[in-house]
Amino acid sequence: MKKKLVILLMCVSVSIGMLGCSGGDTKSKDNKQESAEEQTPASPADQDTADDNVKQSETGPAEQPKEEMPAGDYKDTGDGTMYIACADETSEDGKVPVIYTKEGAAVIMIEVNTKGFDGSKQSYIYVDGLLAAQEQLSDSSYSVDLGDDAIAVGTHKVEVMQYADDEPTGDVVTYKSASYEVKAE
């Protein structure tokens, strides 16, 4: 009998504990309506602001514009080599690898391979003149996700640059480039 009573008390204790920890909302319906009324904007101007806030939260944070590569007529300079690899092809020996895409493709990945780069410097990877990534590269392989215009049908250029002061405002100490072509499947 004692065992049954102890088990019953334990079950009741656990049940009460679970109810207390359920995290349920304890507000009544009246309190919820009052809260909703308090949050409703009073004037049309407030309504516009509230609508704007809702739109921002629905779409998430605004996408930051990508940095453009500093203007200039760059030529291969600096130590090391760079090539890109995609699918079964590479840009080694001046080749232009071809990527076949299906309509509606969102992202394609390429590998940027470097050898002999100065690993103490920040490398800036640009695709079609827009910054795609920043990474410390030396004898490296780095994956770059391509999207939007970078996977449109046509020929695209990947450029890797290193600057004397690790900032795009400094003198270019390394510049390497390669191209890839996108064709519809």
Side-chain angles (χ1 to χ4, degrees):
M1 181 72 179
K2 282 184 177 181
K3 276 187 174 180
K4 288 182 181 179
L5 186 59
V6 171
I7 291 173
L8 181 63
L9 286 174
M10 288 176 62
C11 289
V12 170
S13 298
V14 169
S15 297
I16 291 172
M18 292 177 80
L19 286 174
C21 296
S22 68
D25 191 3
T26 58
K27 285 187 178 181
S28 69
K29 287 183 180 179
D30 293 337
N31 287 344
K32 287 182 183 177
Q33 286 177 343
E34 288 174 14
S35 292
E37 288 171 4
E38 289 172 5
Q39 293 175 359
T40 303
S43 70
D46 291 341
Q47 180 66 39
D48 289 342
T49 304
D51 288 344
D52 289 344
N53 290 339
V54 170
K55 287 177 188 170
Q56 288 174 353
S57 65
E58 287 173 357
T59 59
E63 191 173 313
Q64 297 293 324
K66 291 190 174 184
E67 293 178 39
E68 289 188 12
M69 187 173 83
D73 184 26
Y74 301 104
K75 296 188 182 344
D76 190 314
T77 187
D79 293 333
T81 58
M82 184 274 291
Y83 68 92
I84 56 175
C86 31
D88 295 332
E89 300 181 70
T90 70
S91 65
E92 291 178 294
D93 302 322
K95 296 177 192 166
V96 177
V98 177
I99 301 172
Y100 293 94
T101 64
K102 293 181 181 178
E103 187 175 329
V107 176
I108 294 175
M109 186 178 68
I110 63 169
E111 293 285 326
V112 175
N113 297 283
T114 58
K115 187 166 184 108
F117 271 48
D118 182 350
S120 70
K121 300 235 176 274
Q122 186 76 18
S123 296
Y124 291 75
I125 302 170
Y126 297 95
V127 177
D128 293 337
L130 297 177
L131 183 63
Q134 285 179 247
E135 191 67 29
Q136 297 290 126
L137 301 175
S138 57
D139 295 330
S140 310
S141 180
Y142 185 77
S143 296
V144 177
D145 290 333
L146 305 173
D148 302 325
D149 293 337
I151 59 172
V153 172
T155 302
H156 302 272
K157 191 173 192 177
V158 177
E159 298 163 285
V160 179
M161 300 176 78
Q162 292 181 321
Y163 302 94
D165 61 359
D166 278 346
E167 293 295 327
T169 54
D171 293 334
V172 176
V173 293
T174 304
Y175 174 84
K176 306 293 178 187
S177 68
S179 295
Y180 64 94
E181 184 177 2
V182 176
K183 291 184 178 181
E185 200 168 65

